[in-house]
Amino acid sequence: MRAEPFAEAALTRNAFLGGRVQLWQPLEGYRAGIDPVLLAATVPARAGQSVLELGCGAAPALCCLGVRVAGLVLTGLEIQPAYAALARRNLAENALTGTVIEGDIADPPAVLKAQRFDHVIANPPYFEAASRSAAPDAGRETALAGPVPLAAWVALAAKRLAPRGTATFIQRAERLPELISAMQAGLGSLELWPLAPRAGRAPRLILARGRKGGRAAFRLHAPLLLHAGAAHLEDGEDYTDVIRAVLREGDALNFPP
């Protein structure tokens, strides 16, 4: 767990959404890929609504969402003080107003328990702590294989939602049974959107959404393809048009109707 602040020399500033978002990230530690960007793009938020991200890290998802949808009330919960400080800096330098609360998913602070949100998002650790060799950097390890069960992330999201609010998660396909079971305990109107690397390949990630008090039937959408073609044949990006528009233009990624 990263407690000491990052030195300036230990940071890089990286562009997201075609330069619309500038994000400070550690050279060594957890660095955002496309996953939080895709997660942020799915949030059906409108100006004036409130959004909570559980385990916000350096706030890549909050920044991408806040730049795409102006006028949101943004809040992040982050257990690692160094990443929480970086998240506050990233929000401020992207001209966004937000609150980053330091605290544990398993024992959330009182200030968070007193609030309700229109939307909750989370990119929980993809691995169980005992299922793999630990990463050498403690901050990266916390992001990849935190000690808090996946069910606790989902339970906190459900508790903090306002009635009819949405909770959206991105998670590895292997943990889908665990994720669905946890979501069914506190959310309704569940829908899953698999993310497949290419045509003919099995999905590796899943976008999952539930609604507080929702009663709609369960829905499993057709997989969304991330890359064009059957294989990567040349240097450069080969994202599909939909994914490129999300990553480079800041477009929304709406769940299928």
Side-chain angles (χ1 to χ4, degrees):
M1 186 179 300
R2 178 83 189 200
E4 294 297 320
F6 291 103
E8 287 295 313
L11 298 173
T12 62
R13 196 166 188 240
N14 305 110
F16 288 76
L17 305 189
R20 294 170 176 81
V21 170
Q22 297 291 330
L23 197 78
W24 290 101
Q25 301 193 95
L27 280 165
E28 301 291 336
Y30 175 74
R31 293 175 60 84
I34 70 170
D35 302 3
V37 184
L38 297 178
L39 175 65
T42 68
V43 183
R46 303 186 306 273
Q49 290 189 322
S50 57
V51 181
L52 167 66
E53 183 180 10
L54 302 177
C56 68
L62 286 178
C63 288
C64 289
L65 176 57
V67 166
R68 178 172 67 84
V69 183
L72 296 177
V73 180
L74 303 172
T75 302
L77 177 67
E78 174 55 43
I79 192 173
Q80 303 189 78
Y83 283 87
L86 207 53
R88 296 184 189 105
R89 178 178 181 180
N90 283 327
L91 287 168
E93 294 195 12
N94 284 285
L96 298 170
T97 300
T99 302
V100 179
I101 302 168
E102 292 179 25
D104 192 341
I105 300 290
D107 186 20
V111 65
L112 186 66
K113 291 181 179 179
Q115 300 182 59
R116 293 290 185 273
F117 300 87
D118 297 302
H119 306 279
V120 178
I121 60 174
N123 181 183
Y126 286 161
F127 305 96
E128 296 179 287
S131 68
R132 53 189 287 282
S133 299
D137 179 87
R140 178 174 171 79
E141 178 60 20
T142 298
L144 292 177
V148 179
L150 184 56
W153 288 73
V154 178
L156 180 57
K159 288 178 181 178
R160 300 278 60 82
L161 276 176
R164 305 298 299 167
T166 69
T168 309
F169 306 90
I170 188 167
Q171 184 55 248
R172 284 172 62 87
E174 293 91 327
R175 301 192 73 181
L176 183 55
E178 183 183 359
L179 180 60
I180 291 178
S181 177
M183 292 179 73
Q184 287 176 324
L187 298 166
S189 302
L190 304 188
E191 51 184 323
L192 305 178
W193 198 5
L195 303 178
R198 297 182 186 278
R201 304 275 187 91
R204 295 179 182 174
L205 295 174
I206 302 286
L207 285 163
R209 172 170 296 156
R211 187 177 294 275
K212 185 74 169 281
R215 296 184 179 181
F218 172 83
R219 299 186 68 192
L220 175 61
H221 299 292
L224 174 66
L225 301 183
L226 301 182
H227 298 276
H232 189 69
L233 300 177
E234 58 185 31
D235 291 341
E237 293 183 353
D238 62 355
Y239 291 118
T240 60
D241 291 342
V242 170
I243 298 301
R244 184 181 297 108
V246 170
L247 299 180
R248 305 298 173 232
E249 305 299 328
D251 281 11
L253 185 62
N254 298 315
F255 268 59

